[in-house]
Amino acid sequence: QVQLVESGGGVVKPGGSLRLSCAASGFIFNDYYMNWIRQAPGKGLEWISSIGSSDGPVDYADSVKGRFTISRDNSANSLYLQMNSLGAEDTAVYYCARVHSFGSTDSWGQGTLVTVSS
Amino acid sequence: DIQMTQSPSSLSASVGDRVTVTCRASQSIGYFLNWYQQKPGKAPKLLIFAASSLQSGVPSRFSGSGSVTDFTLTINSLQPEDFATYYCQQSLKTPWTFGQGTNVDMK
């Protein structure tokens, strides 16, 4: 079955960097657009980035544009999110998710927690 | 950006009740509206896509309706496992935006 497993979260100081990874299995990874979506503690869901099936196009929320970079390696069935210049407002659970019909998101990872704190 | 507004923000209901959650978009989104269920500590789960299409494996007591700017999620005969938070999401154009969520708890 479809499985998405995120890794790379942790505690980082303000201004620091972190790279998240998402390992995909159970489906033909390079057939699908992929999203990163985050959820701050006790808050709602925020779409932050998406990438096309063949390593493009990419798109970002204004809140992360210029700081975060989404990428994928279809040969490794993996999705990535490079996060730079992190601030407290980036503290959240980050989900890797597969894009389905009509732009819905039908499969999600379990999430990885990123905490930005000094 | 397209703003998504859900109502109510929370509601209390009993097992067997019919529950309705509404979602309004700040501009026309056609049928590009999706509904998710999220339980504490878990990832969201897709329930409805394209406003009214039931995702595979989702019980038929869940249904969606609406178009353009006004949408509804209905749960017929609420079950114990349905107590959760529900989010709508527009996927017409990026940034894809979510409603603030509706928490359904036990009366």
Side-chain angles (χ1 to χ4, degrees):
Chain A
Q1 76 279 19
V2 175
Q3 194 168 14
L4 298 167
V5 179
E6 301 94 339
S7 60
V11 180
V12 61
K13 288 183 167 50
S17 299
L18 214 53
R19 188 192 195 212
L20 305 184
S21 300
C22 171
S25 60
F27 65 103
I28 302 173
F29 181 67
N30 58 352
D31 279 353
Y32 289 85
Y33 275 60
M34 297 294 294
N35 281 338
W36 285 101
I37 294 168
R38 70 183 180 183
Q39 187 169 35
K43 303 296 185 183
L45 299 164
E46 180 188 16
W47 168 85
I48 56 171
S49 186
S50 64
I51 186 167
S53 54
S54 301
D55 206 19
V58 300
D59 204 352
Y60 299 95
D62 285 347
S63 58
V64 305
K65 199 172 292 183
R67 301 187 299 122
F68 290 13
T69 302
I70 190 172
S71 62
R72 64 191 296 162
D73 181 348
N74 288 338
S75 66
N77 290 339
S78 293
L79 178 72
Y80 306 102
L81 186 68
Q82 177 66 42
M83 304 186 296
N84 298 331
S85 302
L86 286 162
E89 69 277 10
D90 298 313
T91 293
V93 174
Y94 286 72
Y95 293 103
C96 158
R98 186 179 81 167
V99 179
H100 179 49
S101 299
F102 273 74
S104 63
T105 307
D106 71 335
S107 298
W108 300 64
Q110 83 287 356
T112 187
L113 177 62
V114 172
T115 303
V116 184
S117 174
S118 55
Chain B
D1 297 1
I2 299 174
Q3 308 303 317
M4 306 301 294
T5 304
Q6 286 181 235
S7 60
S9 296
S10 65
L11 67 90
S12 297
S14 300
V15 172
D17 283 353
R18 184 177 192 229
V19 169
T20 299
V21 179
T22 65
C23 179
R24 174 164 288 177
S26 61
Q27 61 184 262
S28 173
I29 58 171
Y31 294 94
F32 284 85
L33 190 283
N34 312 301
W35 290 98
Y36 301 87
Q37 175 194 68
Q38 187 179 32
K39 296 181 180 178
K42 300 294 188 181
K45 172 186 174 182
L46 177 65
L47 301 175
I48 302 285
F49 64 94
S52 62
S53 295
L54 191 68
Q55 172 66 356
S56 175
V58 174
S60 59
R61 62 181 179 274
F62 292 93
S63 63
S65 64
S67 65
V68 187
T69 60
D70 293 297
F71 302 87
T72 300
L73 171 71
T74 300
I75 311 172
N76 283 305
S77 188
L78 193 72
Q79 297 300 298
E81 61 268 30
D82 299 337
F83 293 103
T85 300
Y86 294 85
Y87 293 94
C88 64
Q89 176 227 352
Q90 68 80 19
S91 51
L92 175 67
K93 55 184 174 181
T94 59
W96 294 348
T97 45
F98 292 84
Q100 81 279 15
T102 295
N103 183 53
V104 177
D105 64 17
M106 196 176 301
K107 188 183 290 183

